[in-house]
Amino acid sequence: MIPERTDVLVVGSGAGGAAVAWALATAGVDVVVLEAGHRYRPKSFPASYPWALNHIYAGQGAQYVQSDASIYPMPSGKGVGGSTLINSAICYRAPDGVLEQWRQMGLTELAPELLAPIYEELEGLLGVRPAYPQQARLNNLMVKRGAERLGLDGAFVARNAPGCVGCGVCQLGCPSGGKGSVDRNLIPIAERLGTKVVDDAQVQEILVRNGRAEGVRFARIDPESQAVGSEHRIMARAVVLAAGSVGTPRLLLQQGLSNGSRQVGKNLSIHPAVGTYGFFPDLVNSWDGVPQAYAVYLDRKEGILLQSYNAPPEVFLATQPWSGALGMAQLSRLPHLGMCGAIVSDRPLGQVELGPSGQPRVRYALGGLERKKLLRGLRAIVDILFAAGATEVYPGVGRTWAHDPKVAHALLGDDVPETALSIYASHPMGTCRMGVSKEHSVVGPDGQSHDIPGLYIADASLFPSSLGVNPQMTVMALAAVVGRALARTLGS
Ligand SMILES: Cc1cc2nc3c(=O)[nH]c(=O)nc-3n(C[C@H](O)[C@H](O)[C@H](O)COP(=O)(O)OP(=O)(O)OC[C@H]3O[C@@H](n4cnc5c(N)ncnc54)[C@H](O)[C@@H]3O)c2cc1C
Ligand code: SF4
């Protein structure tokens, strides 16, 4: 039964939508969450890449990024749980330096000492704890060994995966239910407090009357065929957009809403990432174990973070510069390959716009600073792989392998052009940023639109800048700040 009216409507049930619903429900507010994707139980995840693309990846995983650099489609999740359904469960708090910058922008509610108890509460609810060797297994332990031999600043990452068995398919949906995606914790808690979650419900319009948000129009979507079904409206005292860094600006741009600042869709950061691998005489079987369990801070100030990663064989081959017979020859080496990646903090170099058919169009221009950070990351990965015992390393550019670090470093000079890099991006942020100035931001420090009373944002699009670390916990923390502020406004 779909209600006709509620206190707060939340659009999207990912990291932000779940956390804002939890914060509101905890304060006694009546909440309805509308989610475009379907609600899946862990047992229904078949651990299949095609199935995952068709069912729990937004746009079937094909969100194209226009850029001179070669950026793979920018993935995001779809379904109750949003991108937490397909993420690697890595949990970081935002670096204090970043939160200090935000405080200096006037966002005093986001100061490190005020966010710390919120992070702590969320970490408790999500079961966040460090990964450990038995679930990490050989690929992660290889990165650990190399980093330790080089005396680098490394550690097992904290993860929201309290029941993880190390099956290695986090990005296909966790079939064991061991991952603490938000459909397993924050959403059920909110539901126990009265929140109603409607899945297969795609919001198509924000209803605004007399300049105030007062509800939404949405359509039911068939989860298999994606056919658009019946239309509905729900009225509310406030509407919170948590449709993600592409979905939220898309909804606003479609209606030309809340854009007095002309900042909607602008200021996109993506945490550009690169990765590469080395050949080890012993078996690594990188697909076995937690995909990403060990990390090295290469440069905390500049925001260069190295993280082990794995890719299922079918994904690995699709992302390599090899194909045909040569590709198969490379693929046959896969059991012996150890892998590591680097993500870097970036400036707001991209934007989300609407294409001619109303579909989102994402542009991103990799800056020289970011390109050099990525190359620094690749050089450090090369060193780690050799230190860990690799006999050959693919430097991540070109087609040749290097037999010693000097050769690889020579191929990875600062002058390597962006066109030679293969970049991955799964952390879009900042497209409706929070700020005190109506001219430079879309929402105020409480998450409310500067232009439309009753319209709030609570997802990764709020970020005033890039973080330099994986963002899900900070998305949740900011969404909780917005939820608590909204609950106070509603008098709960
Ligand atoms: C492959 C991958 C791996 C990642 N790994 C990590 C990691 O290990 N650690 C980490 O910290 N971060 C990771 N991230 C990033 C992290 O998951 C995201 O930053 C975070 O989930 C963003 O939260 P959000 O609420 O902004 O959006 P999302 O979590 O993406 O949720 C948005 C939701 O809104 C729904 N929606 C969109 N439009 C509409 C509409 N019109 N109507 C109704 N619903 C709508 C979508 O279906 C989706 O469910 C990863 C991301 C990806 C894609
Ligand atoms: S590695 Fe752990 S968290 Fe990831 S899918 Fe397997 S059991 Fe779930």
Side-chain angles (χ1 to χ4, degrees), residues 11-17 34-37 57 75-84 86-92 171 201-204 242-245 247 251 292 424 426-428 458-461 470-473 475:
V11 181
S13 66
L34 298 171
E35 165 55 51
Y57 275 70
S76 62
K78 184 183 79 171
V80 174
S83 297
T84 72
I86 58 167
N87 77 18
S88 302
I90 300 171
C91 294
Y92 284 91
Q171 299 198 0
Q202 187 170 53
V203 171
Q204 301 189 322
S245 293
L251 279 167
Q292 301 192 271
Y424 182 78
S426 58
H427 300 166
D459 59 22
S461 57
N470 309 58
Q472 65 168 344
M473 295 310 296
V475 177

Side-chain angles (χ1 to χ4, degrees), residues 64-210:
Y64 171 68
V65 179
Q66 289 183 8
S67 175
D68 285 339
S70 143
I71 303 183
Y72 298 122
M74 188 174 76
S76 62
K78 184 183 79 171
V80 174
S83 297
T84 72
L85 288 176
I86 58 167
N87 77 18
S88 302
I90 300 171
C91 294
Y92 284 91
R93 297 184 182 189
D96 280 358
V98 171
L99 296 181
E100 278 302 339
Q101 277 171 14
W102 293 359
R103 189 205 315 245
Q104 280 160 26
M105 293 174 181
L107 298 169
T108 50
E109 293 294 312
L110 307 185
E113 67 277 11
L114 296 183
L115 282 193
I118 302 179
Y119 277 123
E120 199 175 329
E121 190 172 0
L122 287 165
E123 287 160 356
L125 295 172
L126 268 72
V128 176
R129 59 194 66 152
Y132 55 89
Q134 290 83 348
Q135 49 172 216
R137 309 220 251 277
L138 291 178
N139 189 58
N140 293 292
L141 296 178
M142 171 277 299
V143 176
K144 180 173 183 287
R145 185 171 66 226
E148 284 174 353
R149 286 181 180 163
L150 296 172
L152 297 174
D153 178 10
F156 281 115
V157 297
R159 301 180 72 239
N160 56 321
C164 175
V165 295
C167 72
V169 297
C170 296
Q171 299 198 0
L172 309 181
C174 176
S176 74
K179 179 163 76 173
S181 46
V182 292
D183 56 310
R184 312 270 305 148
N185 36 62
L186 301 183
I187 292 274
I189 296 172
E191 286 177 315
R192 283 199 289 278
L193 294 167
T195 292
K196 179 144 184 62
V197 177
V198 185
D199 64 347
D200 307 318
Q202 187 170 53
V203 171
Q204 301 189 322
E205 185 185 355
I206 302 155
L207 303 174
V208 178
R209 193 167 55 182
N210 300 327

Side-chain angles (χ1 to χ4, degrees), residues 475-489:
V475 177
M476 293 180 215
L478 264 58
V481 168
V482 171
R484 288 175 186 180
L486 173 54
R488 283 195 296 275
T489 305

